[in-house]
Amino acid sequence: MAKQSWYTLAMQRVLVTGGAGFVGSHLCEKLINGGYKVVCLDNFITGSQKNIENLIGNENFEFIDNDVVKLSDEVKKGAFSHIFHLASPASPIDYQNYSEETLLANSMGTLNILELAKKDSSKVLIASTSEVYGDPLEHPQKETYWGNVNSFGPRSCYDESKRFAEASTYVFIHKYGIDARIVRIFNTYGPKMQKDDGRVISNFITAAIAGDQINIDGDGSQTRSFCYVSDLIEGIMKAMFSDSTKGEVFNLGNPDEHSIAELADKIIRLTNSESEIKFSGTFRKDDPMRRKPDIGKAENVLNWKPKVNLDEGLQKTIKFYKSS
Ligand code: NAD
Ligand code: UDP
């Protein structure tokens, strides 16, 4: 991406849905630092005011308390140049607690955002997920893989509504010609993840710092590939602002794959913790056993790849958790 284009586009009005969440709050900050006027929409179902407190009062930042499922007239009249649609619970514990809200945010919420983008000819980026690949039979996962997904289980409120969001985006691109792209985000971590959101890195770091038992589901052999948040944000920016991304789908994640047992050992070492590890022996229902993105397309088209390795990213995250 030509860096210049960010600056050429600066001072345009950008909407970030889910902007008070973990990823959204980092994105709002990055956009403001790039000179954009940012409108952050959130209903705080899983996000927090604390995530955006450093932005409140900035003349280029505006917060709107709104549900993406029922957009206010103020938002509908916003005439945004760009829309980043991130509003949805993301942690499995959260989306299972808020299963109906998750279904609606990704279905009705996405349709509302696509309508808005159509009306104002805004460029739009839809946040999808590696969960569209389910418990994948292809490894690593390429964008062309269709997935192995259970439509009737505890994860389906999230997986299937994200797949609906992708299908809706396809329809709006092909029926109405809107300028949309999709990013499939793989496990991302870093400062501002809620300590109690139930995701593996937040759980392990919180337990390790407190010296509490670390609970591993199953035998810990299941894998994930963890991306540090600043790398993800860079990828999201490039997917929105680079040329030739209209109508495209990109995997964004770090292909460095680790088992959950390895992750626990690493976090214990980096925190100098005396926590003990307990294996439950049972995997969660429909838990993906392996997950690793093929990021060849993002490397070629966006000239993007992650820079922060797992030890470095975990150290930064541990520092944040200790100080907050
Ligand atoms: P998060 O839960 O921290 O943030 C989501 C934000 O969306 C929260 O602030 C929440 O309050 C808001 N929200 C949810 N429903 C809403 C609604 N109906 N109206 C308005 N606001 C609403 O999660 P996150 O990790 O920041 O995830 C952001 C996006 O990225 C999500 O779409 C998620 O599916 C996607 N994603 C994230 C990851 C990851 O590892 N972090 C992986 C895959 C996909
Ligand atoms: N996990 C675990 N202990 C925990 C939290 C998660 O063993 O305290 C496992 C979980 O069963 C899954 C993996 O870690 O296999 C990643 O879980 P997470 O909830 O972070 O997200 P997912 O990638 O499943 O969406």
Side-chain angles (χ1 to χ4, degrees):
M1 178 192 46
K3 232 183 182 170
Q4 212 186 344
S5 63
W6 291 17
Y7 298 107
T8 319
L9 290 164
M11 298 321 290
Q12 300 200 25
R13 218 160 161 256
V14 175
L15 176 68
V16 180
T17 77
F22 160 53
V23 175
S25 56
H26 285 278
L27 179 61
C28 288
E29 194 172 338
K30 179 84 173 182
L31 286 162
I32 285 190
N33 291 339
Y36 292 90
K37 282 192 182 296
V38 174
V39 176
C40 165
L41 177 157
D42 209 290
N43 65 356
F44 292 128
I45 189 171
T46 55
S48 106
Q49 188 121 22
K50 202 159 181 269
N51 284 343
I52 49 169
E53 70 187 2
N54 58 326
L55 303 175
I56 303 279
N58 185 309
E59 59 176 2
N60 288 329
F61 183 76
E62 186 187 335
F63 176 74
I64 298 181
D65 188 346
N66 190 204
D67 188 330
V68 78
V69 175
K70 204 170 182 319
L71 289 183
S72 66
D73 288 342
E74 186 188 3
V75 175
K76 284 186 190 161
K77 286 184 194 145
F80 303 102
S81 58
H82 299 80
I83 305 175
F84 295 85
H85 178 41
L86 274 64
S88 164
S91 142
I93 300 293
D94 284 343
Y95 67 65
Q96 287 170 37
N97 281 339
Y98 297 112
S99 49
E100 258 184 281
E101 290 86 346
T102 302
L103 283 173
L104 288 170
N106 289 312
S107 56
M108 291 304 297
T110 302
L111 287 172
N112 287 341
I113 289 302
L114 293 169
E115 278 294 346
L116 191 61
K118 179 182 143 207
K119 176 173 78 64
D120 295 329
S121 304
S122 321
K123 284 181 82 169
V124 61
L125 176 144
I126 304 294
S128 185
T129 168
S130 53
E131 286 284 324
V132 300
Y133 303 122
D135 186 9
L137 304 176
E138 177 179 306
H139 194 80
Q141 294 80 53
K142 275 199 177 76
E143 290 86 349
T144 46
Y145 178 49
W146 289 1
N148 176 41
V149 186
N150 182 3
S151 62
F152 192 70
R155 300 178 86 98
S156 38
C157 61
Y158 184 67
D159 301 11
E160 292 295 350
S161 64
K162 286 290 188 186
R163 289 170 70 96
F164 178 90
E166 291 204 6
S168 307
T169 308
Y170 183 91
V171 169
F172 273 66
I173 292 167
H174 291 273
K175 189 167 176 187
Y176 302 116
I178 71 165
D179 189 343
R181 70 277 299 122
I182 291 170
V183 293
R184 293 186 182 146
I185 302 171
F186 285 64
N187 296 68
T188 298
Y189 69 100
K192 295 191 178 178
M193 273 177 100
Q194 303 287 336
K195 289 180 180 171
D196 60 354
D197 74 5
R199 290 186 256 204
V200 67
I201 288 191
S202 23
N203 274 6
F204 285 4
I205 294 181
T206 306
I209 291 172
D212 294 341
Q213 178 176 289
I214 289 186
N215 295 308
I216 295 186
D217 300 321
D219 61 5
S221 61
Q222 69 272 42
T223 70
R224 294 292 186 273
S225 306
F226 296 101
C227 184
Y228 188 66
V229 65
S230 58
D231 284 331
L232 174 70
I233 298 298
E234 197 71 27
I236 288 178
M237 294 289 281
K238 288 191 165 188
M240 178 65 107
F241 295 116
S242 302
D243 294 335
S244 311
T245 64
K246 178 178 172 180
E248 296 294 336
V249 178
F250 297 99
N251 283 341
L252 293 181
N254 190 322
D256 182 26
E257 183 184 9
H258 294 271
S259 72
I260 296 302
E262 279 167 20
L263 176 74
D265 287 341
K266 209 180 247 305
I267 289 176
I268 286 176
R269 178 174 55 77
L270 292 172
T271 49
N272 291 318
S273 175
E274 295 189 350
S275 289
E276 289 182 0
I277 294 179
K278 180 157 185 250
F279 294 89
S280 76
T282 325
F283 291 106
R284 294 179 183 176
K285 179 155 174 11
D286 299 339
D287 191 31
M289 287 294 108
R290 296 186 76 184
R291 182 183 289 158
K292 169 180 169 160
D294 181 316
I295 58 164
K297 183 173 174 185
E299 285 186 288
N300 291 335
V301 179
L302 306 178
N303 190 24
W304 172 85
K305 64 177 178 192
K307 298 184 191 116
V308 181
N309 70 37
L310 185 56
D311 273 39
E312 195 187 339
L314 286 174
Q315 273 160 348
K316 291 179 190 213
T317 312
I318 290 164
K319 196 170 162 204
F320 173 84
Y321 273 42
K322 282 185 173 166
S323 67
S324 60

